[in-house]
Amino acid sequence: MTTVSRLLDQFIPHHYTLTLSIDRKARNFSGVVVIIGESTAGSLAVHAHELAIDSVQVDGQAAMFELGIDDQVTITYPNDCIPWEHQ
């Protein structure tokens, strides 16, 4: 049995907003997810089981992402965007 890493050790979400567009005839959906929270690392990893991700933004800036093991997507922050710093 595969063990999936606990991503709460790297990112603590505070709020989710999910917008979906559903095409019943084609039996598919698309959508946008906005997650607000605090990161404890220099990158962010989220679970994305069976999702096709087209783009990722951090604070309105395009961010790089890649699919890893256990359906984990790792997001790398743009150089001038450091969302894990807070007061």
Side-chain angles (χ1 to χ4, degrees):
M1 182 156 112
T2 303
T3 301
V4 177
S5 61
R6 290 198 37 88
L7 300 179
L8 284 176
D9 295 335
Q10 300 172 12
F11 182 76
I12 302 166
H14 297 289
H15 181 77
Y16 291 88
T17 301
L18 175 62
T19 305
L20 292 176
S21 297
I22 300 171
D23 184 340
R24 291 182 184 198
K25 288 184 181 181
R27 300 180 59 111
N28 65 24
F29 68 92
S30 62
V32 175
V33 178
V34 177
I35 305 171
I36 298 171
E38 294 179 43
S39 177
T40 60
S43 63
L44 171 64
V46 295
H47 293 293
H49 182 68
E50 294 188 18
L51 296 179
I53 299 173
D54 294 326
S55 64
V56 174
Q57 292 186 350
V58 175
D59 283 348
Q61 298 179 39
M64 294 179 56
F65 66 96
E66 67 178 327
L67 182 62
I69 59 171
D70 298 328
D71 296 315
Q72 178 176 311
V73 172
T74 301
I75 301 165
T76 306
Y77 302 120
N79 291 335
D80 55 349
C81 178
I82 307 174
W84 60 90
E85 290 185 350
H86 55 87
Q87 298 177 347

